[in-house]
Amino acid sequence: MIMLTTPVPFSWHTSILLPSLLFHIALAGIPRPEQFFDEQLVDHLFDDNRVRQQLYSQRFYTLDEHFLGPGHPIFLILGGEGAISPETGIFYPFIGDHLAAQWGAFVLEPEHRFYGKSQPLNSTAVKKVEENLRVKLFTPEQALHDALTLLDHVRGNQLGCSRDRASPEYCPIISVGGSYPGWLSAMARIMFPNVVDMAYAASAPMGFYSQQVDQFSYYNHITNVAETLIPGCKVATQSALHDVELAILTSDDLAATSIGMCEGTVPDYVFQDDDPNTRMVEELMMVVGYTFANDNMSDYPPSTATRFYKACETFTSQSLTSIEKVKQFLVERLSRKDDSDNSTRCWAMTLQMPSGPHATISSGDWSGVGTGDNGESWDFQTCTLLVEAIGFSKDSMFVPREWSLEWLTRHCQSRFGVTPRPYEIVQKWHFDDLVTYNVSHILFTNGLKDGWSVSGIKSNLSDSLVALNFPNGAHHSDLSHLGPNRNDTEDIEQGYKAISRILGQWLRDVKSAMPSISEVSVF
Ligand SMILES: *[C@@H]1O[C@H](CO)[C@@H](O)[C@H](O)[C@H]1NC(C)=O
Ligand SMILES: *[C@@H]1O[C@H](CO)[C@@H](O)[C@H](O)[C@H]1NC(C)=O
Ligand SMILES: *[C@@H]1O[C@H](CO)[C@@H](O)[C@H](O)[C@H]1NC(C)=O
Ligand SMILES: *[C@@H]1O[C@H](CO)[C@@H](O)[C@H](O)[C@H]1NC(C)=O
Ligand SMILES: *[C@@H]1O[C@H](CO)[C@@H](O)[C@H](O)[C@H]1NC(C)=O
């Protein structure tokens, strides 16, 4: 890790903050350095006494090698539910290496608050996280304010761009994101239309966050995709999982080693449950479900070498028993890579857990909450405003398990002492009804093989609310970590051209026809 700068410690005695912008400038010549914005407000919205006027250090990355100066666009790539690191750098080569190069654009990528090094409550006087304070600070709205505050500083103070749309020096702003950040990208345009000129939102779970998707859609879709991949996959998986369920329910030792688990890695809370066998089935089947789903999200480009295809191969195998199928499926995906001796390879259920007190595998996000600190933060987000109704139906290839708001509320209460508020954000931002609210200039893209596509905006709502759907695409395949390459399917290849054509047209509209808006201030 190359650390070019260290965050400057603040004196919390001084209450004067904004005129003295401390800013670390990237050293030239080293690509994609880690940087910190030390003037980020801990609280943009509430003026809470506990954190009043306190600042924290937000990490971000920039890419300036293509930037042709004031008058050229700025891509704002929104960070999401994970740390960004020098290895991830600028997430999307399609943006950094292609569109930015084509348009002479600057790229700015802030880390989302409460992930990675961007910890609003770490450096402040508030040492112990008070949950009701975290509820106020850890929201998509605060994260968008972070991004827009940083953007406003960078474009004016660093890049010399005008904030006046009529000026030749005006730098149009394009927000970008895939998955949760795809939704954030659309929200950036909806909330800050005077700053963000247009949004590119890939695989954005719009319908999940507006509570308009049936809870069984997600895993049903994954089941259907599996069945088209290898006919028979559905029934074979269903039957293997059912056998394993029975084996666990009737076992004295939860059948842990027979399904490839490493010794001693059943989490304590499973043993402490009133009914450990049932709890074990629930937690194991959650691991199976999201592991399948993760394979599906990355199943691009399609081939018989993808992990999704291989999963169906395992479950349709004629030579393995049900228990062996589940064991092989999990060990191949979840065991430690450095463990090369096949006979002793095993997977640890404890490593599937997010961090923090009262952590459980079945958490806020039943498509998989993630592990470690990122998993804990995402659990919190899906326990508060980003409620995702995702369950397993009896028509899916998984063991049926109904999701309910009651279950989620119990989980969130015991985990964080918080109550989920599924409707709050959609009632505030109306992203379930973009046309009525005159929203414009958002480009939605969807990979139709992705489970998340069940909640995407998939039709053109107006001339400037446009959807592009890719039959071969998985989870934001158009914003992959590889970028355009010769293995792309025809639809994705055409998609790159269409995306570039549509955003390019909107850019030309901004530069030539936007009315003068000299007071652009939302802060
Ligand atoms: C939190 O602060 C401590 C010291 O104050 C530092 O060592 C640690 O790296 C910080 N953690 C994050 C995630 O920024
Ligand atoms: C170990 O397992 C992998 C994956 O199943 C397989 O490709 C490989 O041939 C196995 N190696 C040995 C030594 O059995
Ligand atoms: C949308 O625009 C129309 C026409 O300008 C206007 O009458 C209407 O009030 C707007 N709707 C909202 C929700 O702002
Ligand atoms: C939406 O319109 C664009 C052209 O602007 C077109 O390429 C695309 O296929 C349309 N999307 C749908 C889902 O019809
Ligand atoms: C394209 O696919 C081939 C064969 O699967 C693979 O060897 C190659 O690495 C892939 N190229 C890229 C850029 O992914």
Side-chain angles (χ1 to χ4, degrees):
M1 176 183 296
I2 304 162
M3 286 271 285
L4 294 176
T5 60
T6 18
V8 174
F10 291 102
S11 157
W12 301 109
H13 313 295
T14 159
S15 58
I16 306 156
L17 56 100
L18 280 176
S20 65
L21 281 170
L22 265 164
F23 194 81
H24 298 295
I25 299 166
L27 301 181
I30 302 176
R32 300 169 190 188
E34 186 167 5
Q35 301 180 59
F36 292 94
F37 181 54
D38 284 339
E39 293 287 327
Q40 195 55 268
L41 280 166
V42 166
D43 177 16
H44 297 273
L45 298 168
F46 296 106
D47 204 22
D48 189 305
N49 272 335
R50 289 167 294 182
V51 288
R52 201 153 177 265
Q53 294 192 329
Q54 289 194 14
L55 302 175
Y56 81 99
S57 181
Q58 183 177 23
R59 175 161 63 174
F60 67 96
Y61 292 87
T62 60
L63 180 68
D64 64 5
E65 65 185 67
H66 305 298
F67 188 53
L68 294 177
H72 293 85
I74 299 173
F75 283 104
L76 175 65
I77 298 182
L78 293 156
E81 68 278 31
I84 60 179
S85 68
E87 292 79 53
T88 50
I90 299 293
F91 299 146
Y92 314 125
F94 177 48
I95 304 298
D97 302 338
H98 295 258
L99 295 183
Q102 191 175 326
W103 296 328
F106 186 84
V107 186
L108 175 65
E109 182 182 277
E111 189 169 59
H112 192 295
R113 59 169 50 205
F114 290 96
Y115 293 93
K117 292 194 180 292
S118 302
Q119 298 292 340
L121 292 176
N122 191 34
S123 52
T124 70
V126 186
K127 283 298 173 203
K128 185 177 170 304
V129 177
E130 299 172 50
E131 294 300 356
N132 66 342
L133 182 57
R134 184 147 69 151
V135 163
K136 281 183 168 182
L137 298 180
F138 192 1
T139 64
E141 189 170 8
Q142 297 268 16
L144 283 171
H145 276 276
D146 284 345
L148 275 279
T149 302
L150 173 63
L151 170 77
D152 192 59
H153 177 78
V154 168
R155 70 169 169 177
N157 302 35
Q158 296 300 121
L159 304 179
C161 294
S162 168
R163 295 178 177 88
D164 177 352
R165 275 180 176 144
S167 161
E169 315 270 84
Y170 179 71
C171 299
I173 310 297
I174 310 167
S175 62
V176 179
S179 198
Y180 163 52
W183 176 83
L184 280 175
S185 170
M187 295 310 110
R189 169 69 186 154
I190 294 173
M191 279 181 65
F192 304 105
N194 290 340
V195 180
V196 176
D197 293 287
M198 64 199 75
Y200 170 12
S203 297
M206 304 289 285
F208 276 117
Y209 300 153
S210 61
Q211 309 306 317
Q212 288 177 334
V213 179
D214 179 86
Q215 65 157 302
F216 297 132
S217 307
Y218 181 79
Y219 281 111
N220 281 354
H221 189 82
I222 287 170
T223 302
N224 293 340
V225 172
E227 186 61 21
T228 36
L229 215 52
I230 297 189
C233 186
K234 172 178 169 174
V235 168
T237 306
Q238 240 170 10
S239 128
L241 294 180
H242 182 67
D243 290 348
V244 168
E245 179 186 16
L246 286 184
I248 294 172
L249 289 177
T250 55
S251 153
D252 291 338
D253 67 349
L254 305 178
T257 46
S258 66
I259 49 172
M261 284 176 62
C262 310
E263 204 72 50
T265 64
V266 176
D268 287 343
Y269 69 85
V270 172
F271 289 120
Q272 288 155 6
D273 198 276
D274 292 342
D275 182 355
N277 298 63
T278 301
R279 193 72 186 269
M280 179 69 175
V281 169
E282 285 179 354
E283 299 308 67
L284 174 72
M285 293 307 164
M286 187 61 65
V287 174
V288 169
Y290 68 66
T291 302
F292 238 114
N294 289 344
D295 279 0
N296 192 267
M297 284 196 289
S298 57
D299 186 16
Y300 178 84
S303 83
T304 53
T306 65
R307 296 204 314 182
F308 197 75
Y309 190 90
K310 296 228 168 284
C312 279
E313 261 184 353
T314 300
F315 279 102
T316 53
S317 154
Q318 300 295 318
S319 59
L320 298 172
T321 66
S322 293
I323 294 214
E324 285 166 348
K325 289 175 182 178
V326 172
K327 174 178 177 177
Q328 180 169 319
F329 170 74
L330 292 171
V331 166
E332 281 182 358
R333 285 160 185 78
L334 306 178
S335 69
R336 295 234 313 271
K337 301 279 175 288
D338 55 0
D339 200 352
S340 55
D341 178 359
N342 282 4
S343 61
T344 60
R345 275 168 83 201
C346 60
W347 66 281
M349 192 177 250
T350 38
L351 290 184
Q352 292 298 304
M353 287 165 54
S355 51
H358 310 295
T360 48
I361 285 174
S362 299
S363 293
D365 182 349
W366 283 19
S367 78
V369 81
T371 58
D373 293 345
N374 290 336
E376 181 183 15
S377 287
W378 187 238
D379 200 4
F380 186 84
Q381 289 204 270
T382 50
C383 263
T384 47
L385 294 169
L386 301 177
V387 174
E388 293 172 359
I390 295 178
F392 302 87
S393 80
K394 61 179 173 18
D395 302 321
S396 78
M397 62 186 179
F398 303 99
V399 172
R401 183 176 176 194
E402 199 163 321
W403 176 95
S404 71
L405 190 56
E406 292 69 42
W407 182 93
L408 184 71
T409 305
R410 274 198 310 280
H411 164 74
C412 300
Q413 279 292 337
S414 96
R415 175 87 154 117
F416 302 113
V418 300
T419 304
R421 291 121 70 206
Y423 295 100
E424 187 173 312
I425 206 158
V426 64
Q427 284 169 358
K428 192 164 172 183
W429 293 346
H430 307 291
F431 53 88
D432 54 341
D433 192 3
L434 301 177
V435 172
T436 304
Y437 285 86
N438 297 328
V439 175
S440 72
H441 296 92
I442 303 180
L443 172 59
F444 296 98
T445 60
N446 302 286
L448 296 183
K449 286 187 172 157
D450 174 22
W452 295 102
S453 67
V454 301
S455 87
I457 290 185
K458 293 193 288 295
S459 56
N460 289 340
L461 303 179
S462 73
D463 283 352
S464 69
L465 288 172
V466 175
L468 297 175
N469 303 323
F470 309 125
N472 288 306
H475 201 46
H476 57 79
S477 302
D478 45 320
L479 290 179
S480 74
H481 67 281
L482 284 177
N485 68 74
R486 62 193 163 74
N487 290 351
D488 278 319
T489 50
E490 173 73 12
D491 53 342
I492 295 284
E493 201 180 306
Q494 292 303 320
Y496 288 128
K497 292 179 189 151
I499 292 161
S500 147
R501 194 169 60 237
I502 291 162
L503 296 177
Q505 181 57 49
W506 292 351
L507 277 175
R508 282 188 295 279
D509 293 348
V510 174
K511 290 305 286 187
S512 64
M514 283 300 242
S516 164
I517 301 173
S518 45
E519 280 303 308
V520 179
S521 179
V522 290
F523 306 111

